[in-house]
Amino acid sequence: MSLDLFSFLARLRKTNNPPVVEKGANPLRFGLLGAAKIAPDAIVKPIQCHEDAVLVAVAARDQRRVEAFGRKWGIPKTYDGSNAYQDLLDNTEIDAVYVALPNALHYEWTMKALTAGKHVLCEKPIANNEEEAHKMFALAQEKNLLLIETWQPHFHPAVYRTKEIIEEGALGKIVKMEGHLCVWSSTFGKDDIRFKYGLGGGALMDLGPYPINLLRYLSSSEPTVESATTICRSKNIDKRVKAHLTFAESIPAVVIVDSGMDGWGPLQLLPPWPKVHGRVECENGTVEIFNYPLPSLYHSITVTLTGGKAGTERVWKPQDGRGEGWWSAYRYQLEAFIDKVRGREPQAWRTAEDSINSMRIIDAIYTKSGLPLRQTSQFEL
């Protein structure tokens, strides 16, 4: 136990404070659209410890906020004001951008970035709905540029290992699956963008891509949405979603996302424990991955054979050694993106079809639950 705690603390320290490595002769130059809370972990820190990447600019409309962000993270150029995002895209020295804006702005600014000749990493969900996602990837293909939706667990070796266990065949065929991502509403402020319909908010939009994509990835198949129910925080904004899906070969699955978990005990004063796991039941046993959204922080992969004992493993590095034990899933994701830009074969990749299908499922869940799809952007090229 003490060794686990020591390794956890050492890993956490290095993940949060990665070494600033010496850059190569011609590193890929990134710009950041949005000084969002997720940005440091999602792109700033991963770039710091990648020898072939440098973050040269950040844009946000609030001058004080973006200048403070730039100073804190040593970003040389900041853009502010109503034209900040376009000013960054007009910078011809930038090769790629990370879109860390509210969901409803993903479509417009990804389209503008591609038009400006930039490769794009866009926060999940890729768009407000499937229609937008189709157009975004069509433009990327037309411009011969990379566009990827940043569902980072896909790139972590722990999630890959979970899939490998299933595909090895010892557990037999999949018979049932479930995926959970349930967090406290207090994690976000009352005025958080996640709770605003006009900005593409909702628990399914924010949390849903995690369990949906996990089950799709582990089963290597696409589901049909059979039914869905929601509990709303306000009009059209879901705080809890439960969806029943059927995957290929008639595999039943349930997906539960919850951004408003109520307390329990006397007067509901005790907080519930967040649920962050995926479970795949097979003919001869089950495999469960705990904390798949942030596997670099801590995770466990537990295999339980029918009528037998459970065995647990943790995987921090790929078998081929292309990575470090303290790398976050975001760092593995950046590695794959730069490999792809440079013409190398990445360890893992997310295709356009993968992201488009993810939006198709989200749209179907909203429709089955009786809620409207998130609004299509009025922006036109």
Side-chain angles (χ1 to χ4, degrees), residues 76-381:
K77 180 67 176 175
T78 61
Y79 297 95
D80 61 78
S82 60
N83 207 46
Y85 305 146
Q86 189 60 54
D87 288 341
L88 184 146
L89 296 181
D90 290 340
N91 185 337
T92 57
E93 294 184 353
I94 291 175
D95 306 305
V97 297
Y98 194 103
V99 179
L101 301 172
N103 299 336
L105 299 180
H106 288 181
Y107 175 77
E108 175 180 351
W109 289 102
T110 293
M111 297 293 273
K112 287 181 176 179
L114 293 169
T115 301
K118 318 297 186 188
H119 302 292
V120 180
L121 291 112
C122 182
E123 265 294 331
K124 59 81 196 155
I126 187 71
N128 255 9
N129 51 55
E130 182 187 0
E131 178 186 346
E132 289 185 348
H134 272 290
K135 294 178 181 178
M136 294 160 77
F137 284 105
L139 183 60
Q141 184 176 21
E142 176 187 327
K143 297 289 186 180
N144 196 29
L145 293 166
L146 287 182
L147 167 60
I148 188 170
E149 178 189 23
T150 64
W151 185 64
Q152 79 283 356
H154 182 89
F155 299 88
H156 197 277
V159 177
Y160 177 84
R161 173 58 184 153
T162 306
K163 182 179 178 68
E164 186 179 56
I165 290 170
I166 295 169
E167 292 183 339
E168 284 172 350
L171 295 178
K173 293 182 179 180
I174 299 173
V175 296
K176 186 166 41 174
M177 299 188 294
E178 62 182 61
H180 298 259
L181 181 49
C182 305
V183 300
W184 303 302
S185 59
S186 57
T187 304
F188 318 114
K190 292 183 179 180
D191 295 326
D192 195 277
I193 59 173
R194 294 168 177 83
F195 305 132
K196 296 181 179 180
Y197 179 71
L199 293 178
L204 181 62
M205 291 288 281
D206 184 53
L207 306 178
Y210 286 96
I212 289 170
N213 290 334
L214 179 73
L215 300 188
R216 292 171 61 232
Y217 177 66
L218 295 181
S219 66
S220 300
S221 64
E222 297 295 342
T224 298
V225 180
E226 304 294 345
S227 65
T229 57
T230 60
I231 297 175
C232 287
R233 176 189 176 95
S234 58
K235 185 178 180 181
N236 296 331
I237 288 294
D238 46 298
K239 71 173 185 178
R240 187 177 194 273
V241 178
K242 182 176 183 180
H244 291 273
L245 314 176
T246 299
F247 283 77
E249 299 183 359
S250 301
I251 301 168
V254 63
V255 166
I256 297 176
V257 297
D258 192 349
S259 65
M261 292 191 300
D262 297 323
W264 62 279
L267 302 178
Q268 293 189 322
L269 295 177
L270 299 175
W273 189 253
K275 293 183 178 180
V276 286
H277 69 272
R279 186 174 186 270
V280 178
E281 183 178 332
C282 301
E283 295 170 314
N284 303 321
T286 62
V287 57
E288 183 169 342
I289 180 168
F290 170 75
N291 198 23
Y292 66 93
L294 294 171
S296 58
L297 179 65
Y298 181 83
H299 70 269
S300 62
I301 305 166
T302 303
V303 176
T304 306
L305 297 177
T306 302
K309 294 183 179 180
T312 299
E313 62 178 297
R314 299 173 184 86
V315 182
W316 309 108
K317 294 176 62 175
Q319 289 185 345
D320 64 8
R322 292 172 58 193
E324 299 293 339
W326 54 269
W327 276 14
S328 69
Y330 291 109
R331 177 60 178 80
Y332 279 108
Q333 178 176 262
L334 179 65
E335 186 80 5
F337 183 81
I338 293 178
D339 279 347
K340 196 78 169 178
V341 171
R342 296 305 194 193
R344 300 186 292 265
E345 185 65 27
Q347 287 179 319
W349 190 249
R350 289 201 71 198
T351 64
E353 292 75 18
D354 190 13
S355 292
I356 291 170
N357 281 334
S358 179
M359 288 311 310
R360 174 185 61 80
I361 297 160
I362 289 173
D363 286 359
I365 291 174
Y366 274 130
T367 299
K368 287 285 186 179
S369 70
L371 291 181
L373 306 188
R374 308 302 92 165
Q375 296 169 308
T376 300
S377 173
Q378 298 300 305
F379 170 73
E380 294 182 7
L381 281 176

Side-chain angles (χ1 to χ4, degrees), residues 32-40 58-61 65-66 69-70 85 100-101:
L32 171 60
L33 293 181
K37 292 180 181 179
I38 191 62
V58 57
R61 288 171 177 162
R65 182 182 180 188
V66 74
F69 190 95
Y85 305 146
L101 301 172

